[in-house]
């Protein structure tokens, strides 16, 4: 899409955002079948709202997306919709997740968002490199990921 403005009947717009959000307790849950299903769900929900996914990476414990959101949607209303619906859809598809995530909250509260402006290429490169960086860090790390508050 580059830096081309989109058009509505009386509006030219280019509203791109770098968004990062995590599963509750930053659990490393997004892998294998969960990862495939989450990718399909996010694509489906974005297309319903007319949101273009320019770049995206699903990591085991967080998701990076570079998206173009039409100005008729606020970022916060879009994120509420995306996290809320994707949560319900994942629980419908994978009933066993209810045991890990009581009361149907798949995502942690909140998210990170940054406007992209004209430095889209830099953000795309950063998102693409996240995966290789995280893989390298996982190989260096030998610590167990356990809840420090449980016996």
């Amino acid at each position: 899409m580059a830096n081309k403005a989109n058009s509505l009947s009386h509006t030219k717009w280019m509203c791109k955002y770098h968004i990062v959000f995590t599963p509750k307790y930053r659990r490393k849950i997004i892998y294998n079948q969960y990862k495939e299903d989450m990718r399909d769900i996010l694509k489906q929900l974005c297309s319903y709202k007319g949101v273009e996914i320019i770049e995206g990476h699903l990591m085991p414990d967080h998701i990076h997306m570079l998206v173009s959101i039409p100005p008729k949607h606020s970022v916060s209303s879009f994120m509420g919709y995306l996290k809320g619906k994707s949560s319900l859809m994942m629980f419908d598809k994978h009933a066993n997740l209810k045991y890990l995530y009581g009361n149907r909250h798949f995502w942690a509260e909140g998210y990170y968002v940054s406007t992209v402006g004209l430095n889209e290429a830099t953000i795309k490169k950063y998102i693409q490199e996240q995966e290789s960086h995280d893989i390298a860090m996982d190989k260096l790390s030998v610590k167990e990921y356990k809840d420090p508050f449980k016996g």
Side-chain angles (χ1 to χ4, degrees), residues 98-149:
K98 291 173 194 161
Y99 298 108
L100 275 178
Y101 298 89
N103 65 14
R104 295 172 85 79
H105 291 291
F106 185 83
W107 301 111
E109 270 186 45
Y111 53 90
Y112 165 83
V113 64
S114 167
T115 54
V116 173
L118 300 176
N119 62 347
E120 176 184 337
T122 309
I123 302 293
K124 279 177 88 165
K125 187 173 185 291
Y126 170 78
I127 291 173
Q128 289 164 355
E129 290 173 353
Q130 268 293 218
E131 189 159 30
S132 54
H133 173 74
D134 279 9
I135 290 167
M137 292 311 287
D138 276 350
K139 286 181 181 169
L140 289 175
S141 171
V142 290
K143 86 174 180 186
E144 286 287 325
Y145 290 95
K146 289 188 180 170
D147 186 344
F149 299 104

Side-chain angles (χ1 to χ4, degrees), residues 18-23 26-27 29-31 34-35 37-42 46 53 55-67 79 82-83 86 90 106-107 110-113 126-127 130 134:
H18 175 209
I19 296 169
V20 183
F21 51 107
T22 64
R26 193 121 189 201
R27 285 198 172 110
I29 191 81
I30 305 168
Y31 58 89
Y34 294 146
K35 184 175 182 172
D37 291 342
M38 183 56 70
R39 181 183 55 236
D40 295 344
I41 287 168
L42 293 176
C46 285
I53 301 173
E55 190 71 41
H57 266 288
L58 284 79
M59 307 308 299
D61 65 347
H62 65 284
I63 292 179
H64 281 273
M65 293 173 77
L66 175 58
V67 292
M79 286 306 294
L82 189 67
K83 288 170 65 179
S86 63
M90 279 299 281
F106 185 83
W107 301 111
Y111 53 90
Y112 165 83
V113 64
Y126 170 78
I127 291 173
Q130 268 293 218
D134 279 9

